[in-house]
Amino acid sequence: MGRITLQGVRKVFDDTTVIHGADLEIEDGKFIVFVGPSGCGKTTLLRLIAGLEDLSDGKILIDGRDVTRLPPAGRGLSMVFQSYALYPHMTVRNNIAFGLKMARLPKDEIARRVAKAAEILNLTDYLERRPGQLSGGQRQRVAIGRAIVREPKGFLFDEPLSNLDAALRAQMRLEVTRLQKQLKTTAIYVTHDQVEAMTMADQIVVLQAGRIEQVGSPLELYERPANVFVAGFIGSPRMNLLTGAVAERHDASTLGIRPEHVRVRHGSVEADGPGEAWIGTVVQAEHLGSDTFLYVDVPGMGAVNARCTGELRAAPGDKVTLLPDAARLHRFDANQQAIR
Ligand code: ATP
């Protein structure tokens, strides 16, 4: 089991409050991603759960048991860091087994667990190598292997893929997700990359300035962001957030529309329904083949981004009409909260 509960968790460093009373319920076996901009407190929250930092206030429970004052080793959680922290002079086998040897597990039990982890991670053929003879992805897998063999109640990942190049990152993203589904062990994963969050998480926890802004599945956050911050943070390219007359027409302070929910027509055309039609000029066009991203200047409204599937022939200076999907508009009040 690995149900993790945070109750009013607060952390103050010197005079600065870095985590402002976080409440969170993480179900057993789920993959949770903490995401948010640099400095929002993701790593601090993870380290509080791990026991590497003391709480200033609040409680942490694992499977209903209060672990707030327990040292890291007493919590049954395994941490995987961005820097793999492997022992360079030891073989892969000994790196993976190290923690178990320290805990004085019987030799045959250690051998069984290492063999199983190596098989799951495709490391069986590399067990006698040293870390220096491995690729970055293989090293990361050794670090994960070391966490797996401890058979923890939960894995804590702190940006484990950020040292890898883009292709390897994408591959490891799939591997880590598949592995977690296979092991069914609760995982908390810290990243500032919202694509990683969207593709890996069962539940995403969005943090800003030490506060939890929203918790939900990737699609819940995409479809129903609770506030302007989450609306702008989740989704790439980011949601258009419009203020002024266009928002006021919809009784809102801010009106949001995702670039992929804006249709583009050449020239100046009428809306084909009661919805909005915004006429503007293309400022920039990015042709990716799979998609076309347009940056359009709409007089009186400002810049609006549109994303069209496939190739759309458009160049800077072209006049276009933008037709936002009325069903996909997001309205936010003066306090930046979603109006439902
Ligand atoms: P990043 O994505 O850049 O790693 P993060 O969201 O993980 O950021 P944290 O590392 O948790 O952010 O830091 C949150 C805030 O706490 C930051 O403002 C940071 O400067 C501050 N902080 C972190 N550790 C300490 C410390 N030991 N002493 C004082 N302040 C700290």
Side-chain angles (χ1 to χ4, degrees):
M1 288 288 283
R3 184 160 49 88
I4 301 173
T5 312
L6 310 189
Q7 295 177 347
V9 169
R10 233 163 52 85
K11 179 65 183 175
V12 182
F13 282 120
D14 307 320
D15 290 338
T16 315
T17 304
V18 173
I19 303 290
H20 299 262
D23 293 303
L24 186 64
E25 186 72 50
I26 297 173
E27 283 175 48
D28 179 42
K30 294 285 184 214
F31 199 117
I32 304 301
V33 174
F34 290 173
V35 70
S38 182
C40 70
K42 308 177 290 288
T43 297
T44 303
L45 199 53
L46 195 75
R47 290 172 59 83
L48 288 165
I49 295 170
L52 298 169
E53 297 282 355
D54 292 329
L55 277 72
S56 305
D57 207 352
K59 271 190 193 173
I60 296 176
L61 308 153
I62 299 178
D63 293 332
R65 173 168 166 246
D66 189 342
V67 300
T68 313
R69 303 282 158 225
L70 281 187
R75 300 188 181 199
L77 304 173
S78 276
M79 194 134 177
V80 181
F81 296 96
Q82 177 187 118
S83 56
Y84 322 125
L86 301 179
Y87 298 106
H89 58 285
M90 282 187 200
T91 60
V92 168
R93 180 189 303 283
N94 288 336
N95 263 288
I96 295 177
F98 186 74
L100 303 183
K101 283 187 182 164
M102 287 292 110
R104 298 188 185 285
L105 257 72
K107 273 201 173 128
D108 53 348
E109 176 65 13
I110 295 179
R112 187 188 67 78
R113 291 197 195 181
V114 171
K116 189 174 148 205
E119 192 192 322
I120 291 171
L121 293 163
N122 281 327
L123 287 172
T124 308
D125 294 341
Y126 302 92
L127 283 171
E128 307 316 323
R129 290 204 193 176
R130 289 176 209 287
Q133 300 166 301
L134 299 177
S135 71
Q138 289 163 340
R139 275 180 228 173
Q140 186 60 69
R141 274 189 254 147
V142 177
I144 295 172
R146 208 169 36 182
I148 290 178
V149 290
R150 292 181 52 204
E151 299 184 353
K153 290 183 172 184
F155 294 114
L156 306 178
F157 293 98
D158 192 359
E159 306 223 19
L161 308 185
S162 49
N163 286 337
L164 306 177
D165 68 38
L168 192 51
R169 252 182 109 110
Q171 183 196 333
M172 287 301 291
R173 209 157 70 196
L174 289 174
E175 285 186 20
V176 171
T177 319
R178 183 184 52 80
L179 180 68
Q180 194 272 341
K181 294 281 167 279
Q182 188 180 348
L183 298 171
K184 299 188 179 66
T185 305
T186 310
I188 307 179
Y189 187 106
V190 162
T191 181
H192 56 263
D193 179 344
Q194 58 99 10
V195 175
E196 232 166 71
M198 291 297 281
T199 52
M200 299 179 90
D202 293 313
Q203 293 276 301
I204 298 178
V205 177
V206 183
L207 289 152
Q208 185 199 198
R211 292 181 204 279
I212 295 179
E213 294 283 352
Q214 191 172 1
V215 181
S217 71
L219 285 181
E220 274 163 11
L221 299 197
Y222 176 84
E223 285 168 359
R224 294 170 67 82
N227 52 48
V228 170
F229 178 78
V230 176
F233 192 77
I234 298 287
S236 176
R238 86 194 274 277
M239 186 188 284
N240 294 292
L241 294 163
L242 309 164
T243 53
V246 64
E248 283 159 23
R249 280 203 293 280
H250 293 265
D251 291 329
S253 257
T254 304
L255 189 70
I257 182 80
R258 295 196 183 279
E260 55 272 37
H261 299 146
V262 177
R263 280 186 300 141
V264 179
R265 294 285 173 270
H266 283 287
S268 159
V269 299
E270 294 281 314
D272 47 8
E276 300 266 344
W278 305 327
I279 296 164
T281 309
V282 175
V283 177
Q284 200 183 330
E286 293 174 350
H287 303 272
L288 278 73
S290 59
D291 298 279
T292 309
F293 295 143
L294 295 186
Y295 302 82
V296 179
D297 180 48
V298 180
M301 246 168 67
V304 179
N305 299 341
R307 172 184 191 163
C308 311
T309 305
E311 169 59 4
L312 183 93
R313 300 245 167 254
D318 286 1
K319 194 167 228 194
V320 290
T321 304
L322 304 178
L323 302 166
D325 179 347
R328 302 283 204 155
L329 291 171
H330 300 261
R331 299 184 307 137
F332 302 96
D333 65 19
N335 295 320
Q336 312 226 318
Q337 303 302 305
I339 303 170
R340 303 282 189 215

